[in-house]
């Protein structure tokens, strides 16, 4: 509810006065003139007979990054407050976050400023608080965020656009509104003068707001929000954009890390691997030991040379661009939030890939970077290094057109290439229109394939419906990959938490894997397994395996398209078990975390006396046609939570070098037992791959052995067999 004495709380009440201010600011030359105009505007607005007051946050809303819910007229009294109305999928909202981060670094709550994110969802999936938590982590949002799932504040204030910023005075009185992105200068001007104006009147309080960051409660993980993954078909490797750790991983297909480049913190630095940094990288493409990276939040395309072990910039200037034409040399051409990349050839006579296609989410277009001199469809010869628009007007819409520059996209986020006839096209997932589209490599024509609807301005035609063409419905898809062998297209239908398959010949779109629940279950089949906002995927092993960046589960999942099973790719170093972010000596010795899907087997209790040695004999089988993975040591670990005395002086871990000659694990009961009962846990990690090493997997098993300690001397006992009935 509004404060007493307040009048209508619609944003339209600010419009006449703020419009006059902004016209006056256009004529102002010096900073002093601008400051004076804003100060005079505040005198006028502050002198209104009744405040234009914001309504109170409704009770019962879910809050993030705070110790408790926040009240406008209790907790925020005496503060200049910025309400950021956003939805986490929106590229324009993402573009505003650096401005807000910069403002928070300039002014704190002690200075009288507080930012509150008001999450007002576009898609149903974005109303779920766990998904908002993931976005808060992904984008490093450290101010309070409220989940206004029913958009009650949005409607009361008559907000009409994502993002919208509303600046409040210390009485909850609305002062300014900023609609859309690109208003950093006005945001700083209005905020700084508002703080000065109300400090001059003694109305600013320096009390602190109880902040409790959600990220501080999370355990570390090997990957953090991996956005994209691609296959190096030449060298048996994968390239992973470990987006949340701001790094690129090059891993063998058993999960062993060969290179870790960048991270753990965001940055923008070229050079040797140990010094290079990225900022939330997404798309990756590899060719001839060169990796191209869509360095999304740096607004750059980066080049990783694996032979020279160097990182360089090949497109972008490091700040968000607004140019929708391009044509300059790459390192001089401003670009905006590149989200995916794929390499290809400019013609059938070309021997090596000479074009890098770019999904330019920030300007809603498809761009091209010339890796060598060549030509695009309907273009003259272009110099090597030229970076320019290929398709898309730059208007955010779902418009198909035979003329590529008249077509419209809405945040294209995934690319895949089918250069062979009859396709000869780029496949594109257009996230904000929830469609799959094609762009012809012959003439640039943009066509519809699945999802959305016919009205090019309707970006709300989403859902979860299998069907043909326009009758199929998707929800914010982010990833796509082409299966050349089967002539099928696989789509990461991100907000439906599914993997779907599209037949481009019939336009039929059906669910391949996932239940629609945002969870992490490795079921016995595709339809029983679950995902959580998968963001990217790629095809490998002669179309047998589909690698999925299961973003919010912080995993790379491996889908076997022949056996219809799903497994998790372990990520590890050769000298350690599963890694967790930056590698440290201490972490190499710690017990890795078992997958949630690992079976837990409770053994029959065993009586033992002090000084007695127990033996546990591993007798585990691998699936037929598989072998232990070389270079990824399978291993066992002992633990005894709450009874750590049991392991004093013991060998707590070891390797499993051969499946035909598995080790016997020994445990000597200490002479000074601190308890008469204890539970010993034996964790086993098996890394194995198919006979031809084309597909690699990890299986975890937990055995728990209850022990009953007795003074009665026990005779020689037979080894306890540790096996798993398949």
């Amino acid at each position: 509810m509004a404060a007493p004495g307040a009048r209508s709380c619609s944003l339209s009440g600010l419009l006449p006065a703020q419009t006059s201010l902004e016209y006056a600011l256009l004529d102002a030359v010096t900073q002093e003139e601008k400051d004076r105009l804003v100060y005079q505007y505040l005198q006028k607005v502050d002198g209104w007979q009744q405040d234009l007051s914001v309504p109170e946050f409704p009770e019962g809303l879910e809050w993030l990054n705070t110790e408790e819910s926040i009240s406008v007229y209790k907790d925020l009294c005496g503060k200049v407050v910025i309400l950021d109305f956003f939805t986490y999928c929106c590229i324009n909202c993402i573009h505003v976050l650096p401005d807000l981060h910069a403002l928070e670094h300039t002014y704190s709550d002690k200075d009288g400023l507080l930012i509150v994110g008001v999450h007002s969802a576009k898609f149903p999936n974005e109303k779920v608080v766990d998904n908002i938590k993931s976005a808060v982590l992904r984008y490093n949002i450290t101010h309070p965020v409220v989940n206004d799932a029913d958009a009650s504040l949005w409607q009361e204030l008559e907000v009409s656009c994502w993002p919208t910023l509303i600046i409040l005075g210390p009485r909850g009185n609305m002062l300014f509104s900023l609609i859309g992105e690109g208003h950093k200068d006005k945001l700083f001007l209005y905020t700084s003068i508002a703080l000065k104006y109300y400090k001059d009147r003694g109305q600013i309080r320096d009390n602190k707001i109880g902040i409790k960051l959600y990220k501080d409660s999370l355990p570390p993980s090997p990957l953090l929000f991996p956005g994209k993954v691609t296959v190096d078909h030449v060298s048996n490797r994968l390239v992973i954009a470990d987006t949340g750790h701001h790094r690129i991983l090059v891993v063998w297909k058993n999960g062993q890390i060969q290179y870790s480049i960048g991270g753990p913190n965001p940055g923008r630095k070229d050079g040797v691997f140990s010094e290079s940094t990225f900022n939330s990288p997404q798309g990756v493409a590899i060719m001839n030991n060169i990796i191209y990276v869509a360095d999304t939040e740096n607004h750059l395309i980066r080049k990783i040379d694996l032979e020279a072990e160097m990182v360089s910039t090949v497109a972008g200037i490091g700040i968000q661009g607004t140019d929708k034409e391009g044509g300059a040399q790459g390192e001089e051409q401003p670009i905006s939030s590149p989200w995916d990349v794929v390499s290809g050839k400019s013609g059938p006579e070309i021997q090596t890939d000479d074009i890098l296609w770019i999904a330019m989410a920030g300007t809603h277009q498809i761009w091209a970077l010339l890796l060598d001199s060549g030509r695009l469809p309907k273009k003259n010869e272009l110099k090597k290094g030229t970076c320019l628009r290929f398709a898309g007007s730059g208007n955010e819409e779902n418009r198909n057109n035979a003329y590529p520059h008249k077509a419209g996209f809405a945040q294209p986020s995934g690319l895949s290439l089918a250069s062979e006839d009859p396709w000869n096209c780029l496949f594109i997932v257009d996230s904000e229109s929830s469609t799959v589209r094609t762009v012809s490599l012959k003439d640039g024509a943009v066509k519809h394939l699945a999802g959305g609807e016919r009205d090019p301005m309707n970006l709300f035609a989403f859902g979860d419906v299998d069907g043909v063409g326009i009758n199929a419905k998707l929800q914010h898809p982010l990833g796509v990959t082409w299966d050349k062998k089967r002539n099928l297209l696989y789509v990461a239908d991100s907000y439906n938490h599914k993997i779907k398959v599209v037949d481009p010949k019939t336009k039929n779109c059906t669910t391949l894997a996932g239940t629609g629940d945002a969870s992490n279950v490795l079921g016995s089949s595709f339809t029983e397994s679950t995902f959580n906002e998968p963001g990217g995927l790629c095809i490998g092993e002669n179309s047998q395996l589909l690698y999925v960046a299961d973003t919010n589960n912080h995993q790379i999942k491996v889908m076997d398209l022949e056996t219809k099973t799903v497994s998790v790719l372990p990520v590890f170093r050769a000298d350690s078990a599963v890694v967790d972010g930056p590698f440290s000596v201490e972490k190499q010795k710690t017990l890795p975390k078992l997958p949630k899907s690992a079976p837990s087997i409770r053994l029959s209790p065993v009586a033992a006396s002090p000084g007695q040695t127990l033996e546990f004999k591993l007798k585990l089988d691998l699936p037929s046609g598989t072998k232990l993975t070389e270079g990824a040591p399978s291993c066992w670990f002992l633990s005894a939570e709450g009874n750590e005395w049991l392991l004093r002086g013991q060998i707590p871990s070891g390797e499993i070098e051969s499946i035909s000659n598995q080790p016997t694990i020994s445990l000597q009961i200490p002479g000074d037992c601190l308890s008469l009962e204890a539970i010993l846990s034996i964790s086993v990690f098996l890394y194995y791959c198919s006979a031809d090493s084309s597909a690699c997997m990890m299986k975890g098993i937990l055995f728990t052995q209850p022990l009953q300690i007795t003074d009665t001397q026990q005779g020689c006992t037979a080894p306890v067999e540790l096996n798993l009935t398949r």
Side-chain angles (χ1 to χ4, degrees), residues 120-135:
S120 308
K122 171 183 175 179
F123 294 98
N125 180 69
E126 294 178 314
K127 296 182 180 183
V128 180
V129 73
D130 284 344
N131 299 335
I132 302 171
K133 286 180 180 178
S134 294

Side-chain angles (χ1 to χ4, degrees), residues 169 196 204 276-277 358 506 535 607 610 721:
K196 173 177 171 47
I204 295 295
S276 300
T277 53
I358 306 167
T506 64
E721 290 192 358

Side-chain angles (χ1 to χ4, degrees), residues 161-226:
C161 176
W162 295 284
T164 292
L165 302 178
I166 301 176
I167 303 177
L168 308 180
R171 302 185 300 275
N173 49 318
M174 289 194 286
L175 304 175
F176 307 92
S177 69
L178 296 169
I179 297 173
E181 61 171 291
H183 302 300
K184 182 179 180 180
D185 290 344
K186 285 183 181 178
L187 175 64
F188 271 74
L189 173 63
Y190 294 167
T191 302
S192 63
I193 301 303
L195 287 168
K196 173 177 171 47
Y197 176 85
Y198 286 108
K199 277 181 181 176
D200 289 348
R201 282 152 182 76
Q203 296 182 32
I204 295 295
R205 294 165 52 188
D206 63 359
N207 60 301
K208 292 187 72 65
I209 302 296
I211 300 294
K212 183 179 180 182
L213 296 183
Y214 174 60
K215 68 178 182 180
D216 292 341
S217 66
L218 289 179
S221 62
L223 299 172
L224 188 64
F225 302 108

Side-chain angles (χ1 to χ4, degrees), residues 57-131:
F57 294 118
E59 292 185 5
L61 297 185
E62 297 165 302
W63 286 83
L64 300 175
N65 286 343
T66 62
E67 294 174 348
E68 55 188 359
S69 60
I70 288 177
S71 164
V72 173
Y73 295 103
K74 294 179 183 176
D75 306 298
L76 302 184
C77 183
K79 302 286 186 191
V80 170
V81 177
I82 297 173
L83 300 180
D84 173 25
F85 285 84
F86 77 110
T87 184
Y88 71 77
C89 71
C90 170
I91 193 68
N92 311 95
C93 299
I94 295 169
H95 287 163
V96 165
L97 291 176
D99 299 347
L100 297 178
H101 290 324
L103 196 63
E104 288 173 305
H105 282 297
T106 306
Y107 305 105
S108 69
D109 54 357
K110 282 188 69 66
D111 298 314
L113 176 71
L114 189 73
I115 298 172
V116 177
V118 184
H119 192 270
S120 308
K122 171 183 175 179
F123 294 98
N125 180 69
E126 294 178 314
K127 296 182 180 183
V128 180
V129 73
D130 284 344
N131 299 335

Side-chain angles (χ1 to χ4, degrees), residues 158-348:
E158 296 182 8
V159 176
S160 60
C161 176
W162 295 284
T164 292
L165 302 178
I166 301 176
I167 303 177
L168 308 180
R171 302 185 300 275
N173 49 318
M174 289 194 286
L175 304 175
F176 307 92
S177 69
L178 296 169
I179 297 173
E181 61 171 291
H183 302 300
K184 182 179 180 180
D185 290 344
K186 285 183 181 178
L187 175 64
F188 271 74
L189 173 63
Y190 294 167
T191 302
S192 63
I193 301 303
L195 287 168
K196 173 177 171 47
Y197 176 85
Y198 286 108
K199 277 181 181 176
D200 289 348
R201 282 152 182 76
Q203 296 182 32
I204 295 295
R205 294 165 52 188
D206 63 359
N207 60 301
K208 292 187 72 65
I209 302 296
I211 300 294
K212 183 179 180 182
L213 296 183
Y214 174 60
K215 68 178 182 180
D216 292 341
S217 66
L218 289 179
S221 62
L223 299 172
L224 188 64
F225 302 108
K228 303 288 185 183
V229 59
T230 195
V231 172
D232 180 3
H233 294 284
V234 176
S235 63
N236 205 37
R237 294 178 294 187
L238 296 172
V239 182
I240 301 169
D242 189 10
T243 309
H245 285 141
H246 309 285
R247 66 179 179 175
I248 303 299
L249 295 180
V250 181
V251 305
W252 301 108
K253 288 186 183 173
N254 61 8
Q256 180 181 332
I257 295 174
Q258 183 188 21
Y259 298 106
S260 175
I261 310 156
N265 298 313
R268 177 198 159 199
K269 188 174 183 182
D270 290 338
V272 297
F273 283 2
S274 60
E275 297 177 356
S276 300
T277 53
F278 301 86
N279 192 349
S280 299
Q282 287 283 346
V284 282
I286 184 168
M287 49 178 281
N288 302 326
N289 266 332
I290 299 293
I291 300 170
Y292 292 97
V293 181
D295 192 6
T296 305
E297 294 194 19
N298 275 329
H299 310 287
L300 299 173
I301 302 297
R302 312 287 290 282
K303 175 183 174 181
I304 299 173
D305 188 324
L306 295 178
E307 291 184 358
E309 298 194 0
M310 293 288 292
V311 177
S312 58
T313 296
V314 292
I317 61 173
I319 58 174
Q320 182 191 343
T322 57
D323 184 0
K324 296 180 180 180
E325 296 286 342
Q329 283 291 293
E331 61 274 15
E332 300 172 357
Q333 176 62 56
I335 60 176
S336 180
S337 297
W339 210 274
D340 203 6
V341 289
V342 65
S343 63
K345 300 177 178 64
S346 58

Side-chain angles (χ1 to χ4, degrees), residues 405-482:
H405 291 182
K406 292 185 178 181
F409 297 94
Q411 209 169 307
S413 301
L415 293 175
S416 193
L417 180 69
S419 56
E420 68 277 13
D421 287 328
W423 316 110
N424 204 8
C425 70
L426 281 170
F427 292 107
I428 298 160
V429 283
D430 198 36
S431 61
E432 283 293 282
S433 67
S434 297
T435 59
V436 183
R437 322 269 289 280
T438 65
V439 180
S440 169
L441 296 179
K442 292 181 178 179
D443 57 14
V446 178
K447 297 180 181 179
H448 171 269
L449 194 57
E453 69 142 70
R454 289 183 176 85
D455 180 358
M457 304 307 294
N458 183 3
L459 302 182
F460 288 80
F462 52 79
D464 184 9
V465 180
D466 290 353
V468 176
I470 216 161
N471 295 318
K473 290 293 178 279
L474 307 164
Q475 188 182 176
H476 199 77
L478 291 172
V480 62
T481 191
W482 173 242

